[in-house]
Amino acid sequence: KNASIVSRDKLAQVTLNVPLDKDLSAAVDALRPLVDEAHRGVVLVSELGADKVVVTVRASADDPTAVERLESDLRLQAHQRLRSAGVLA
């Protein structure tokens, strides 16, 4: 059995709603630094709705406990970054 193929990383994921009247590129650019250094980190525009855009931020963590902590940290930092970028009031 080749255990090198199996990843023990757990994926932390948070979704954020961005109003349609806000600059989506500015929102994504503000969020990218959150995952630039993360293993398997990515910022995705995951949904375009009638009144909002959903942006998903993903990054890997070492274990299930770290996933919860990382998700909380990502939410907090994302909120701060989006407010600083003028995407959230």
Side-chain angles (χ1 to χ4, degrees), residues 43-58:
V43 176
L44 303 167
V45 176
S46 50
E47 184 180 327
L48 289 171
D51 60 344
K52 67 182 177 187
V53 177
V54 178
V55 177
T56 301
V57 179
R58 293 183 188 147

Side-chain angles (χ1 to χ4, degrees), residues 9-79:
D9 291 347
K10 305 298 180 200
L11 193 61
Q13 177 173 300
V14 297
T15 57
L16 306 153
N17 296 325
V18 177
L20 279 178
D21 64 342
K22 300 300 180 180
D23 184 346
L24 182 56
S25 293
V28 170
D29 289 344
L31 296 171
R32 279 208 174 103
L34 295 177
V35 296
D36 278 347
E37 301 298 319
H39 176 65
R40 294 178 26 197
V42 66
V43 176
L44 303 167
V45 176
S46 50
E47 184 180 327
L48 289 171
D51 60 344
K52 67 182 177 187
V53 177
V54 178
V55 177
T56 301
V57 179
R58 293 183 188 147
S60 64
D62 296 331
D63 58 65
T65 302
V67 168
E68 290 180 358
R69 188 172 51 250
L70 180 55
E71 286 176 342
S72 178
D73 290 346
L74 287 172
R75 285 184 192 100
L76 178 62
Q77 292 175 32
H79 182 260

